[in-house]
Amino acid sequence: MPHDFGGPVGKPNRRTVLYASALTAVTALTGACSSGTKSGEGGKPRAGSTGTSTKGSERKPVPVPRKLRESPALAAQVKSGALPPLKERVPEKPYVIPHRWCSEGKYGGTMYALTDASDSGIINEHMYGRSPLRWLNDGLDIGPGLVESWESDDDASTWTLHLRRGLKWSDGQPLTAGDALYWWEDLVVNDVHPALPPDSGRSGSGTAMKLTAPDDLTLVLTFDSPTPLTPALLANGVDTGDWFLPKHYLKQWHPRYNKSVTAKNWFEKHDQHLNWVLDPKCPTLTGWRTKTYSEGRRVVLERNPYYWCVDRSGAQLPYVDELVFNVVQEPEVRKLQIQEGKVDYVHGAFVPIGLGDISGMKQTQKRHNMNVYLWDSGSGTGSVFFFNYDYPEPKMRALIRNPKFRQALSFAFDRSEAQKAVYFNTGEKTTGTYSPKAQEYQGAQGEKVYHQWRDAYVRHDPERAKRMLDELGAKLGPDGKRRMPGGADDLVVRIDVPADVSDEHRKKNDLLKRDWEAVGVTVKINPMAPEGFGDQWNNGRLMSQSSWEVGDGPDHITGPWWFVPIEPARWAPLHGQMWTLRGTAKEKQQLDVDPWKRTPPRVDAEPGSPIARLWDGYAKAKGEVDGVARTKIVWDMIKIHIQDGPFFMGTVANYPQVTMSKRDLHNVPTREQLAQGGMVNTWAHPTPAVYDPEVYYWEDPPKHT
């Protein structure tokens, strides 16, 4: 079956024009934003370039150059006998980076970046090397990765993946289909290991696939129903625990392969070594591998000599020798280090650096010597608020589940104030949707559906909010405060947030408190220790959350976590937990136990409820082979979000996201060079990994050693 999921690349629409106007306003306000030097300035012209376009990426695989080359440092190791020759270290057909903005670069130097924690999440978002397939053109297309080609049967229930011949782990051992079988058979479907099937390993009904390997280079995925979005789901992966794991290294901690491993909780020690960022000895497939790991201080990555990607000139990547992530937890210290020139590359979504910081960066530009790029965030909400749909206290849970209550609070919120104070009058006010760049919003009908959702409850109408609250029975008392329906207790909304929440969310939360108290609701902002916050949420104990945003995804079904509760971290944690156990032995256990006392806490959807209908739509959409029919199913699911929502409440969509890089660091794309202007704030579309930082290079590498 064909697997071209793309559409016209870079085609402007009305949202693009509106965004461009807002972007101009930001630039005029601050004077600090720059498109920088043209990508590749200081290097040779891009091999194979026609010179006519540097926008977007090629939709079809780029031919492998006849001659390959490598870093001088690696060439020296080959000469000394420490490494095999380049042709023995890369696949027969390396992946050629297809971005049109990239030019031939220079080897050498170190690039410094920041993170707020020495874990693997942010670091992995910088690298696409482990992914079976890859998103291209800001989610409009899918390209090959570790998997060179793929096909399905007629109903898309069986998929066959063909690995590149000659792929090697960073220690030189071959990558085979057995490494995927190890992940699946010895961890995911193992009765003891806690890993669960990811969405890429489930059918639309939630049932786990059957994974087999006819030979070392072939994987066969068999589902119990059509699963046509498998390629898109395979493009989402940059996590350390999915699909390919180095069996030759990890099996020493697995009781199936090492009889001396007898502990019942053997998986705890095993998984300590699974994460290549935290364990420098663990082989990886990324462009850089861990050289040294200092918890809470620094992670130093060095070039992977077996990396399987090259640029159009035939240069094995990465160009930069080392990538250093310094761990700085205090936001103001991070900003100071940037302004003092101690950082070479800043991905604003992770640091975070926002629009409010641009003026300060302009004033210190001579010290930090960095370009400031404004990529599209692709956010569907900006700072988002959402209730716990599964809150344990019955009366408050009933109110939360009443859509009129959530709609009233949305009407009470003056988003114009937040747009001005937080987003500098950029972006577009929104009830809260998926990313405006999602594939289902393309075309006239798609835009209409997007606008219906975006505008559903976005208007600031406090009088309407008051009437709706009155209709719910939440009457005003003599003190001007509203009471719970049918009771004497004050109606209290508690906004639970981690204590280290960023200024963006803090300012928005203060506005929520002001606006909701103006209609009589008592609001308490509850900062909590970040440690354990996620566990309390997943167990359904918190009332609300207001420190995230919604970006996912390139489409609604391959990044469905906000659209459909299929995991516990979003707006219906106990429902999401139930979905994760579908098809497992635990699904039917503890049904006679209170949902909040089950292990883990979980609840099934009531027949006909909004979540039941979303689950049904998700299963149908995930199994629908025809793309047009699948889009119509998604549109019907959006109607549920409009009629029974908002399940999450947005502020401003698609505001600009800041990226900064040293002026002599090249191949960092500008907004104009990206197919849709960028799509930053989504985990399903891992950024900046999708733009391949391995191809960044220094104009004069010796200056950056």
Side-chain angles (χ1 to χ4, degrees):
M1 292 183 64
H3 45 254
D4 182 0
F5 288 76
V9 175
K11 182 180 178 181
N13 57 32
R14 186 168 180 268
R15 289 194 307 279
T16 305
V17 175
L18 289 173
Y19 176 85
S21 300
L23 186 64
T24 302
V26 174
T27 306
L29 173 67
T30 65
C33 303
S34 170
S35 292
T37 56
K38 291 184 178 180
S39 185
E41 190 174 312
K44 298 179 181 179
R46 186 180 69 246
S49 171
T50 63
T52 59
S53 175
T54 60
K55 186 181 183 69
S57 308
E58 307 294 347
R59 301 180 66 179
K60 296 181 178 180
V62 178
V64 178
R66 292 182 180 180
K67 186 176 181 181
L68 303 182
R69 62 189 179 94
E70 63 187 324
S71 158
L74 296 184
Q77 293 185 53
V78 172
K79 187 174 182 179
S80 70
L83 277 178
L86 177 60
K87 65 179 181 180
E88 297 178 16
R89 302 198 316 269
V90 296
E92 289 184 5
K93 295 181 180 179
Y95 176 74
V96 183
I97 302 298
H99 311 313
R100 297 188 183 104
W101 64 79
C102 291
S103 66
E104 181 179 346
K106 303 174 184 179
Y107 285 112
T110 298
M111 187 170 76
Y112 287 88
L114 291 174
T115 179
D116 62 354
S118 52
D119 60 17
S120 61
I122 289 176
I123 293 175
N124 271 292
E125 287 290 309
H126 284 73
M127 303 178 208
Y128 225 163
R130 295 190 66 262
S131 186
L133 300 176
R134 296 179 170 218
W135 289 113
L136 296 171
N137 292 313
D138 291 338
L140 294 179
D141 296 301
I142 296 173
L146 296 169
V147 173
E148 186 175 23
S149 62
W150 62 98
E151 70 271 356
S152 78
D153 60 1
D154 289 341
D155 72 348
S157 62
T158 299
W159 287 86
T160 303
L161 313 179
H162 304 281
L163 304 183
R164 294 179 187 274
R165 184 179 297 276
L167 284 164
K168 290 182 171 62
W169 292 94
S170 57
D171 61 356
Q173 293 297 309
L175 171 74
T176 72
D179 293 311
L181 290 180
Y182 179 82
W183 160 70
W184 185 255
E185 296 178 352
D186 295 318
L187 303 188
V188 176
V189 298
N190 182 285
D191 291 337
V192 178
H193 197 282
L196 294 170
D199 211 36
S200 57
R202 294 177 184 264
S203 68
S205 62
T207 307
M209 68 178 175
K210 180 181 178 182
L211 182 66
T212 57
D215 57 59
D216 282 348
L217 297 179
T218 308
L219 289 168
V220 178
L221 290 57
T222 304
F223 299 93
D224 66 356
S225 59
T227 311
L229 290 174
T230 294
L233 293 165
L234 291 172
N236 289 354
V238 294
D239 198 2
T240 56
D242 286 356
W243 280 96
F244 296 101
L245 294 177
K247 176 180 178 179
H248 66 279
Y249 178 69
L250 293 173
K251 66 181 182 180
Q252 62 186 302
W253 294 286
H254 199 296
R256 178 178 177 183
Y257 304 96
N258 185 350
K259 300 304 180 183
S260 66
V261 177
T262 58
K264 291 183 178 180
N265 59 341
W266 58 266
F267 50 84
E268 293 181 358
K269 186 171 184 180
H270 174 279
D271 291 0
Q272 289 175 4
H273 298 279
L274 177 151
N275 192 325
W276 67 270
V277 175
L278 310 184
D279 177 7
K281 294 182 180 180
C282 180
T284 186
L285 300 162
T286 51
W288 292 276
R289 62 186 182 186
T290 301
K291 180 179 180 181
T292 60
Y293 171 79
S294 302
E295 185 173 1
R297 295 179 56 204
R298 172 180 290 194
V299 181
V300 179
L301 309 177
E302 63 181 357
R303 176 184 286 107
N304 173 8
Y306 294 89
Y307 191 47
W308 46 281
C309 300
V310 302
D311 71 3
R312 295 186 192 222
S313 73
Q316 184 194 25
L317 300 171
Y319 274 122
V320 172
D321 289 335
E322 291 188 346
L323 179 57
V324 178
F325 285 88
N326 286 319
V327 180
V328 182
Q329 296 182 344
E330 175 55 46
E332 293 305 316
V333 176
R334 291 199 295 267
K335 293 176 186 179
L336 181 61
Q337 289 200 3
I338 294 168
Q339 291 174 331
E340 293 299 321
K342 297 180 180 180
V343 183
D344 300 319
Y345 182 74
V346 175
H347 188 61
F350 294 152
V351 172
I353 294 293
L355 298 175
D357 300 305
I358 292 178
S359 178
M361 295 301 165
K362 176 188 176 182
Q363 295 172 10
T364 56
Q365 200 161 26
K366 289 184 179 180
R367 295 205 301 272
H368 61 66
N369 195 33
M370 301 182 83
N371 289 321
V372 179
Y373 303 98
L374 293 178
W375 294 345
D376 284 12
S377 66
S379 174
T381 62
S383 180
V384 67
F385 169 89
F386 54 101
F387 279 111
N388 172 7
Y389 199 79
D390 301 324
Y391 191 60
E393 199 283 310
K395 291 183 179 179
M396 190 64 193
R397 181 172 70 249
L399 190 59
I400 288 171
R401 289 188 177 183
N402 191 318
K404 285 189 176 181
F405 176 60
R406 288 175 272 116
Q407 292 163 12
L409 294 184
S410 186
F411 283 129
F413 179 28
D414 187 357
R415 291 169 173 84
S416 295
E417 290 273 347
Q419 186 178 38
K420 179 180 180 180
V422 182
Y423 301 103
F424 293 83
N425 285 324
T426 65
E428 50 193 66
K429 290 179 289 185
T430 182
T431 298
T433 70
Y434 254 42
S435 173
K437 298 173 184 293
Q439 293 178 13
E440 294 89 348
Y441 299 148
Q442 306 303 309
Q445 183 60 31
E447 286 222 0
K448 181 179 179 181
V449 171
Y450 168 73
H451 290 150
Q452 287 173 344
W453 191 5
R454 182 195 67 182
D455 299 338
Y457 308 106
V458 75
R459 183 160 53 94
H460 181 222
D461 192 343
E463 295 306 314
R464 184 174 181 179
K466 292 175 183 177
R467 290 195 302 270
M468 294 177 73
L469 292 170
D470 288 341
E471 292 168 3
L472 288 169
K475 301 293 186 178
L476 285 172
D479 57 359
K481 296 181 180 180
R482 292 190 181 272
R483 306 293 190 254
M484 287 290 292
D489 294 334
D490 287 349
L491 169 53
V492 179
V493 170
R494 192 181 70 241
I495 302 178
D496 300 308
V497 292
D500 59 355
V501 66
S502 70
D503 285 343
E504 173 190 0
H505 303 297
R506 187 177 293 110
K507 290 178 180 178
K508 188 274 317 256
N509 292 339
D510 288 341
L511 292 173
L512 285 181
K513 178 177 171 65
R514 182 200 67 182
D515 292 346
W516 290 347
E517 289 187 338
V519 296
V521 177
T522 300
V523 180
K524 296 182 179 179
I525 297 177
N526 179 37
M528 301 173 61
E531 302 82 8
F533 185 90
D535 288 340
Q536 289 195 59
W537 181 267
N538 292 352
N539 289 327
R541 297 299 173 186
L542 305 183
M543 182 183 290
S544 70
Q545 193 174 154
S546 196
S547 57
W548 282 17
E549 69 171 358
V550 177
D552 296 310
D555 63 67
H556 291 64
I557 303 302
T558 60
W561 310 288
W562 291 96
F563 196 50
V564 186
I566 62 169
E567 51 76 60
R570 274 77 173 181
W571 52 271
L574 269 66
H575 281 84
Q577 191 69 262
M578 179 63 82
W579 179 274
T580 68
L581 298 179
R582 279 198 169 187
T584 70
K586 285 188 175 182
E587 182 181 11
K588 302 299 183 182
Q589 295 175 2
Q590 297 184 312
L591 297 183
D592 58 343
V593 178
D594 180 278
W596 286 267
K597 295 180 181 179
R598 295 170 182 170
T599 306
R602 59 193 184 276
V603 64
D604 209 347
E606 297 178 4
S609 67
I611 292 179
R613 287 181 281 136
L614 287 171
W615 280 355
D616 289 344
Y618 176 61
K620 291 177 183 177
K622 195 176 178 186
E624 177 54 65
V625 176
D626 181 80
V628 174
R630 184 169 56 246
T631 295
K632 290 181 179 178
I633 294 171
V634 170
W635 290 346
D636 286 339
M637 295 169 69
I638 289 173
K639 291 179 183 177
I640 299 172
H641 275 265
I642 295 173
Q643 294 167 0
D644 296 282
F647 298 110
F648 52 84
M649 190 185 304
T651 306
V652 170
N654 204 32
Y655 60 89
Q657 183 59 266
V658 176
T659 291
M660 300 175 64
S661 67
K662 281 289 198 292
R663 291 184 172 181
D664 56 345
L665 184 67
H666 299 298
N667 280 343
V668 181
T670 66
R671 178 183 180 273
E672 293 73 21
Q673 292 171 328
L674 299 176
Q676 293 200 85
M679 189 178 182
V680 175
N681 293 17
T682 164
W683 292 97
H685 181 260
T687 310
V690 289
Y691 307 137
D692 294 289
E694 293 86 355
V695 83
Y696 297 175
Y697 72 92
W698 291 110
E699 184 173 316
D700 189 357
K703 290 184 178 179
H704 297 276
T705 54

